[in-house]
Amino acid sequence: MGSVLLPSTYGFPKQIPSPSLYSITRQEESIVVVGEKPKVSPISPSRPPKQRGRAMPSIWRPSRQADYDCFSSATPIVIDNGGSAFRIGWAGELDPRVTFRNVVQRPRHKTTGETVTIVGDHDPALMKYFDYTRTSHRSAFDSNVVYQFEIMEYVLDYGFERLGANDLQVDHPILMTECVCNPISSRSKMAELLFETYGVPSIAFGIDSAFSYKFNQQHGICTEDGLAVCAGVTTSHVIPFVKGEPVLEACCRTNIGGYHVTDYLKQLLSLKYPYHMSSITWEKAEELKMEHCYVALDYASELQLFQKGKKEAEEKTRSWQLPWVPPPQEEAPSEEELARKAALKEKQGQRLRDMAAAKRSIRISEMENELHGLKDLLQQLGQVEETEISSILSKTGYDSRQEIESAIQKITQSLRKAKGEPNETEERIDASLAEKYPLTNVPDDMLTPEQLKEKRKQTFLKTTSEGRLRAKQKRFEEESMREKQNQQEEEKRLENPELYLEKLHARYRELSEKVEQRKRLKTNGARTNGNQNLSGGVGRGERLNAAQKERMRLLTTAAFDRGKGEDTFGARDEDWQLYKLMSKDNDDEDNGQEEDEAELARVTARLQSEIQRTVPCSFAAGMASQSLIWLASLYTRDLTSFMVWIILQHPKDWLDIFLYLLHKLDFFEISAWIEPTE
Amino acid sequence: MEPEVVNSEMLLPPVLPFKRVQMSDKYPKGHARGRHWKHLKQILQAENYASYPADEPNYLNIETPPSIYPSKKFCDITGYEALYIDPRTNLRYANPDVFKRIRMLPDDHVQRYLALRNAAVVLK
């Protein structure tokens, strides 16, 4: 593809030691050895030891170089554009002049509001002047490919500026590094940036690890056939070399790099010490990794070392002390707070009550007024003669005296209710019924046609009100019956708890079976019928309980023409009696089902309350030192809280007491829940 | 601008002499600032590597497939060699003390340990 341009193919002086050196440091980015030299990667011995330990100084502001002008236009500038660090320097030198972290931040100045650009790391003491809330470290890289050229431009600006550039353009050829098989669009944009914005005369791109290998080969550290393993910050590459040339067709990339290692360390530490999660940042983890971690040459044996706890393991462990932060205490609301809140609630309640009382008094006064008016009217009617009655009545809107009286009744009743007095008894109502509908008792032939109409109205009203009364009575009776039943059951339970419980269980089982069976019949019938006979009627699957089967049978036999060739069902009156048979069946079935289900619900509720009642009984007995069952009545029915308390607090000798009691009451399954805590 | 900030030289000057086009001209304020940079996925898609001959290395075909060898199992908590797996949580552990710790872990910690291994249950 022609993308890899080794120095030898490009018209540069043959000896370019510096770029190779820069790329050597790349191998150290994620694998740092403290004190020990890794035997894998070749390192030139002339590197100062300080830089070997820390490939990425965390706070390092490079100073501006002053000797830019000393270099002629022919001297190339070498740039190592790496995912973690950006290095720039002159060709022919041993080390890059300027190194910094390849990130950009654009905070806003707090007072002036302008957005400034900071490339690389900065002194954290100066952070206070800037607002960092909306910014974060931005990198030009996505995995190992440059994609954000605005940020790349900031970085290049800073790099050139630190190198001391002051001409009208950067008038030196540039050698730049890129990733293996860099996509063409990325490379072309980079070239465009360098040519057009910086006025660079010529550019060369190359792979950093290849440069490094060539350098080492020239210095005799490695042979011409070998393997270059390059561990980057987001990716790692393996490039084979044959006869000094890289075989790009055989090179491989894995998307694991130093970033993932740091991330893993951070997650592990956060999970092990969740309390300190805020102190374990990515930067801190990176620092830990760089300063204190090492690469094991034989992982299995190192593991054994640590597992057996030998002395070397002790030497290799580090301890990190974090500042102690007191746990955040939730303040219990103080007395004043509580008092204030209570007062507020009182006030609100009072206000609501006042409003309700005001409404009620308004209504009462209204009703009283009305009552007065009606009573006056009545009086008037009493005093005045017959003829004028109708005229007066038409004015007020009431048709007859009785209406007025009934209206008065109603209002007095509601008035009484509003005032909070008890309702009148039913006898009074019975009496008033007879009074209200006087015409009902009078036989038909004695009345005029209008009175007949009246009578019909009144009979109708009477029957409805009687019906309502009857319904009320029935309800009352039912309630009293239920009360009686409950009382009976209570007595039964108190006499003989175990027997009662057994009977309850049996009844529960019976009822549940019945309900299940019925359900099964419904669904089973539907299922089988659907499977067998799909071509039949659409709704056939639904109509399959016994009553409905019966109904279908009746219908089909009825409609069956008796050999006459015509369907004459319905011609005779007796045919329609068929329907009477059918509907009766239906109703019975449904009613029976509902009753059963209601009883089942009742029985289950009872059972549950039984269980709740009996169990705490026994535990309470235990805690009260083997006697005093009466204490059970004092304990709550909340089973779970009781259990939890027991599990957390009982000392070992209580355990025996518990087990003994449980034994006595046959609650074997519960004993398994108790686990002794240490 | 505060003097110490200026002295520390940490800010990038807005105008640089060696540039033909300054940043403020290239990315005028108020516009989208060229924010529509294509991400790696889009770059690779646009590259259209299918049209190149398949034996030439390009960004996509130098990526290695996952390993065919079974991996060595390490304990999720301690990092020692994991000889056992907890059936309830599927965490790997090395010895009974670690097992005790595992059983006392809250559920989200368990999921995070598993996520470190890409073994967490993801409910969609």
Side-chain angles (χ1 to χ4, degrees):
Chain A
M1 281 234 313
S3 60
V4 176
L5 306 156
L6 289 180
S8 52
T9 63
Y10 223 72
F12 288 130
K14 289 281 179 173
Q15 187 198 35
I16 308 182
S18 16
S20 340
L21 272 170
Y22 307 163
S23 46
I24 285 173
T25 61
R26 173 174 289 282
Q27 292 179 21
E28 283 187 328
E29 262 154 25
S30 50
I31 305 172
V32 174
V33 177
V34 170
E36 220 183 312
K37 234 184 174 184
K39 299 191 185 64
V40 181
S41 65
I43 295 183
S44 151
S46 65
R47 304 277 330 275
K50 158 183 93 135
Q51 278 182 334
R52 190 180 311 151
R54 303 190 309 159
M56 260 177 23
S58 42
I59 304 171
W60 189 4
R61 306 293 313 166
S63 54
R64 191 185 164 121
Q65 307 293 312
D67 55 352
Y68 184 81
D69 300 320
C70 310
F71 292 91
S72 73
S73 275
T75 323
I77 295 181
V78 181
I79 299 180
D80 176 13
N81 192 17
S84 53
F86 181 91
R87 284 167 264 250
I88 188 169
W90 298 104
E93 297 190 352
L94 284 177
D95 283 321
R97 288 298 184 94
V98 177
T99 309
F100 51 87
R101 198 147 78 105
N102 206 344
V103 292
V104 165
Q105 275 170 299
R106 306 203 73 228
R108 285 159 55 95
H109 194 252
K110 275 190 192 159
T111 43
T112 58
E114 61 174 307
T115 310
V116 297
T117 318
I118 301 179
V119 178
D121 287 314
H122 61 280
D123 188 3
L126 296 173
M127 266 179 77
K128 55 185 185 218
Y129 297 113
F130 298 97
D131 167 31
Y132 286 96
T133 49
R134 272 143 103 241
T135 62
S136 59
H137 292 265
R138 293 165 60 187
S139 164
F141 285 85
D142 182 359
S143 184
N144 53 0
V145 173
V146 179
Y147 80 113
Q148 277 222 1
F149 287 95
E150 184 188 342
I151 296 184
M152 196 66 234
E153 197 174 331
Y154 285 129
V155 171
L156 283 170
D157 279 352
Y158 189 69
F160 285 132
E161 190 257 333
R162 286 288 106 176
L163 199 60
N166 49 18
D167 284 345
L168 286 175
Q169 55 180 27
V170 179
D171 205 10
H172 302 261
I174 299 249
L175 173 67
M176 194 135 176
T177 59
E178 58 173 19
C179 62
V180 179
C181 298
N182 195 16
I184 295 178
S185 62
S186 168
R187 191 184 305 123
S188 69
K189 285 215 182 77
M190 181 70 86
E192 179 191 327
L193 178 69
L194 285 171
F195 281 134
E196 305 208 348
T197 315
Y198 297 101
V200 174
S202 51
I203 311 179
F205 292 101
I207 304 175
D208 43 3
S209 38
F211 287 149
S212 164
Y213 193 89
K214 285 305 283 185
F215 173 75
N216 290 320
Q217 188 199 334
Q218 282 170 2
H219 284 241
I221 300 177
C222 52
T223 59
E224 60 179 16
D225 302 319
L227 204 62
V229 177
C230 166
V233 70
T234 42
T235 53
S236 305
H237 293 93
V238 170
I239 306 174
F241 277 77
V242 173
K243 292 197 183 357
E245 299 295 312
V247 182
L248 275 189
E249 288 83 8
C251 90
C252 293
R253 180 189 81 235
T254 314
N255 292 333
I256 301 278
Y259 173 81
H260 302 96
V261 175
T262 314
D263 201 47
Y264 191 55
L265 178 65
K266 171 174 170 287
Q267 301 274 17
L268 283 177
L269 284 177
S270 307
L271 279 172
K272 195 151 186 215
Y273 305 103
Y275 189 62
H276 297 286
M277 225 184 279
S278 52
S279 333
I280 305 174
T281 60
W282 192 87
E283 282 79 17
K284 189 70 194 174
E286 176 94 12
E287 193 194 309
L288 286 175
K289 179 188 81 173
M290 291 301 198
E291 312 268 324
H292 303 287
C293 297
Y294 70 98
V295 175
L297 297 172
D298 181 5
Y299 195 63
S301 60
E302 296 284 334
L303 269 191
Q304 287 297 312
L305 203 70
F306 281 98
Q307 245 179 326
K308 301 231 174 82
K310 294 196 186 141
K311 212 177 70 157
E312 292 108 336
E314 285 301 315
E315 288 165 17
K316 294 191 185 182
T317 47
R318 303 269 181 278
S319 53
W320 175 29
Q321 186 169 27
L322 284 155
W324 181 74
V325 175
Q329 240 188 14
E330 262 209 38
E331 259 185 40
S334 63
E335 292 243 342
E336 324 171 330
E337 276 280 325
L338 284 169
R340 201 158 48 83
K341 280 202 192 124
L344 205 68
K345 256 196 231 160
E346 249 316 298
K347 233 189 339 181
Q348 281 176 337
Q350 189 59 37
R351 204 173 59 207
L352 284 170
R353 257 175 274 142
D354 287 339
M355 273 174 17
K359 261 199 226 145
R360 213 174 48 207
S361 59
I362 288 175
R363 218 178 49 189
I364 287 176
S365 53
E366 267 181 26
M367 282 198 288
E368 278 179 356
N369 284 344
E370 246 194 87
L371 200 63
H372 278 307
L374 285 172
K375 283 210 181 119
D376 284 341
L377 195 59
L378 218 55
Q379 260 187 343
Q380 256 189 335
L381 285 177
Q383 291 168 0
V384 152
E385 289 167 10
E386 276 281 331
T387 46
E388 300 194 20
I389 282 180
S390 42
S391 56
I392 295 176
L393 281 174
S394 56
K395 265 191 265 171
T396 55
Y398 287 101
D399 283 334
S400 65
R401 223 189 154 108
Q402 285 102 4
E403 266 202 52
I404 299 179
E405 285 178 359
S406 58
I408 290 179
Q409 273 282 329
K410 264 192 245 159
I411 292 178
T412 37
Q413 267 190 13
S414 41
L415 203 65
R416 281 216 172 80
K417 228 203 287 188
K419 288 195 184 158
E421 289 171 16
N423 252 340
E424 300 188 334
T425 58
E426 298 184 12
E427 298 151 10
R428 190 63 205 269
I429 293 174
D430 280 335
S432 60
L433 258 180
E435 286 171 9
K436 266 195 234 169
Y437 310 121
L439 290 175
T440 46
N441 294 334
V442 175
D444 273 344
D445 37 320
M446 296 206 341
L447 296 170
T448 61
E450 294 168 355
Q451 282 182 326
L452 270 170
K453 259 194 266 168
E454 265 296 315
K455 182 183 174 185
R456 245 181 265 146
K457 231 200 312 180
Q458 284 179 359
T459 33
F460 173 71
L461 286 171
K462 185 173 175 192
T463 40
T464 44
S465 51
E466 271 179 10
R468 248 182 282 131
L469 278 175
R470 246 179 281 136
K472 235 197 265 179
Q473 270 182 351
K474 225 204 305 190
R475 253 182 283 136
F476 190 63
E477 274 168 33
E478 271 182 14
E479 267 192 45
S480 52
M481 251 190 52
R482 234 179 282 146
E483 274 293 318
K484 255 189 263 168
Q485 265 188 4
N486 281 351
Q487 279 179 355
Q488 279 178 358
E489 297 216 13
E490 280 288 316
E491 282 169 25
K492 264 195 257 170
R493 190 186 64 82
L494 287 172
E495 307 173 342
N496 200 350
E498 288 187 13
L499 194 63
Y500 176 69
L501 212 62
E502 266 182 47
K503 268 201 274 189
L504 261 184
H505 275 292
R507 186 104 188 94
Y508 176 76
R509 252 174 276 141
E510 243 180 70
L511 284 168
S512 55
E513 262 186 49
K514 248 202 241 172
V515 172
E516 277 297 313
Q517 213 182 28
R518 222 172 265 147
K519 265 197 228 158
R520 236 178 293 133
L521 271 178
K522 260 200 196 151
T523 54
N524 255 347
R527 231 181 292 137
T528 52
N529 208 33
N531 280 341
Q532 287 169 5
N533 209 348
L534 290 172
S535 59
V538 174
R540 205 182 293 184
E542 307 161 5
R543 302 189 241 123
L544 258 303
N545 66 15
Q548 289 172 335
K549 266 196 227 156
E550 184 63 28
R551 182 184 149 106
M552 278 316 292
R553 192 185 62 81
L554 283 170
L555 277 174
T556 43
T557 50
F560 178 65
D561 65 298
R562 298 135 208 237
K564 286 196 193 142
E566 273 177 38
D567 181 8
T568 55
F569 178 78
R572 303 166 301 162
D573 269 337
E574 304 89 70
D575 291 341
W576 300 104
Q577 306 296 328
L578 192 67
Y579 283 95
K580 285 214 186 123
L581 283 172
M582 278 195 261
S583 55
K584 259 194 248 165
D585 292 337
N586 251 341
D587 285 338
D588 280 343
E589 189 55 43
D590 286 340
N591 277 347
Q593 201 176 14
E594 281 170 19
E595 279 174 12
D596 276 343
E597 283 177 351
E599 220 192 312
L600 182 62
R602 261 209 315 271
V603 172
T604 33
R606 236 165 216 286
L607 268 179
Q608 280 175 356
S609 61
E610 280 307 303
I611 291 174
Q612 279 188 350
R613 247 181 293 200
T614 52
V615 172
C617 202
S618 42
F619 282 119
M623 287 320 289
S625 66
Q626 296 176 351
S627 60
L628 307 172
I629 307 261
W630 59 266
L631 264 184
S633 57
L634 297 179
Y635 281 86
T636 59
R637 289 185 182 192
D638 188 355
L639 179 59
T640 47
S641 63
F642 212 91
M643 286 297 303
V644 165
W645 182 67
I646 289 167
I647 288 169
L648 290 181
Q649 288 193 4
H650 76 269
K652 287 232 168 99
D653 46 278
W654 286 118
L655 190 58
D656 302 277
I657 301 172
F658 283 141
L659 291 176
Y660 169 69
L661 270 160
L662 294 175
H663 227 335
K664 270 190 78 172
L665 294 162
D666 295 325
F667 278 102
F668 286 114
E669 64 274 21
I670 299 186
S671 64
W673 293 356
I674 297 187
E675 292 159 12
T677 54
E678 269 143 66
Chain B
M1 202 55 63
E2 291 80 358
E4 54 181 2
V5 171
V6 173
N7 285 343
S8 71
E9 290 182 355
M10 85 175 174
L11 304 176
L12 198 66
V15 172
L16 288 160
F18 49 85
K19 287 182 79 171
R20 283 190 190 164
V21 185
Q22 298 300 326
M23 280 300 261
S24 45
D25 303 324
K26 205 191 242 192
Y27 300 107
K29 225 178 175 186
H31 286 209
R33 294 200 73 106
R35 204 155 286 157
H36 312 294
W37 299 111
K38 282 190 178 172
H39 289 267
L40 182 62
K41 276 196 204 160
Q42 292 163 312
I43 295 178
L44 293 176
Q45 233 178 2
E47 286 283 306
N48 197 9
Y49 286 122
S51 57
Y52 293 106
D55 53 346
E56 281 189 11
N58 56 52
Y59 195 84
L60 289 178
N61 60 15
I62 60 174
E63 182 154 355
T64 52
S67 165
I68 51 174
Y69 299 106
S71 64
K72 195 108 170 89
K73 315 270 190 290
F74 293 102
C75 169
D76 286 317
I77 317 279
T78 55
Y80 299 141
E81 193 183 331
L83 303 165
Y84 322 100
I85 294 185
D86 172 18
R88 198 190 289 175
T89 53
N90 278 344
L91 287 172
R92 299 179 181 144
Y93 64 94
N95 56 49
D97 303 310
V98 185
F99 181 67
K100 280 199 199 125
R101 296 288 300 275
I102 286 181
R103 278 295 159 96
M104 296 203 300
L105 278 179
D107 188 42
D108 60 328
H109 280 56
V110 168
Q111 291 307 312
R112 282 169 68 182
Y113 271 119
L114 289 173
L116 282 183
R117 253 202 294 145
N118 289 335
V121 176
V122 176
L123 298 169
K124 288 227 167 105

